[in-house]
């Protein structure tokens, strides 16, 4: 789980999920605003998309499973991805976009 950049407080899974939906959240311990780091945001997006693309292409190519079965598996697969994602986030005290600090 990620730690606050100011006070090194370990965030809970619920707090990280709120942060991932809003993009910013105050630390529960020191009340300083925290953001998802740009590198963390990139890698979480990359691995989430690859987690969908690679298994579906592998299953269709080698096992000839139809698209309808793959779409039926998504409601099972999506909660698993959401359970694991908060463990890969890193926090930042500043909000950056395209290498420039915002706010």
């Amino acid at each position: 789980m990620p730690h606050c950049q100011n006070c090194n407080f370990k965030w809970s899974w619920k707090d990280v999920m709120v942060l991932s939906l809003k993009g910013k959240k105050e630390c529960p311990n020191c009340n300083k605003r925290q953001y998802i780091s740009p590198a963390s945001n990139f890698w979480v997006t990359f691995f989430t998309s690859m987690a969908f693309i690679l298994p579906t292409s592998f299953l269709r190519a080698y096992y000839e499973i139809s698209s309808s079965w793959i779409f039926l598996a998504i409601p099972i697969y999506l909660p698993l991805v959401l359970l694991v994602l908060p463990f890969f986030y890193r926090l930042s005290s500043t909000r950056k976009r395209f290498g420039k600090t915002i706010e």
Side-chain angles (χ1 to χ4, degrees), residues 50-74 77:
M50 286 296 116
F52 283 107
I53 293 170
L54 293 178
T56 55
S57 62
F58 176 77
L59 290 173
R60 292 196 67 206
Y62 293 107
Y63 294 107
E64 298 178 6
I65 294 177
S66 67
S67 297
S68 59
W69 284 106
I70 291 172
F71 286 121
L72 288 173
I74 288 176
Y77 187 69

Side-chain angles (χ1 to χ4, degrees), residues 29-48:
N29 190 37
C30 67
N31 294 325
K32 298 287 184 177
R33 187 172 289 170
Q34 297 289 296
Y35 304 95
I36 299 171
S37 71
S40 175
N41 202 9
F42 170 78
W43 286 111
V44 167
T45 304
F46 176 76
F47 286 124
T48 304

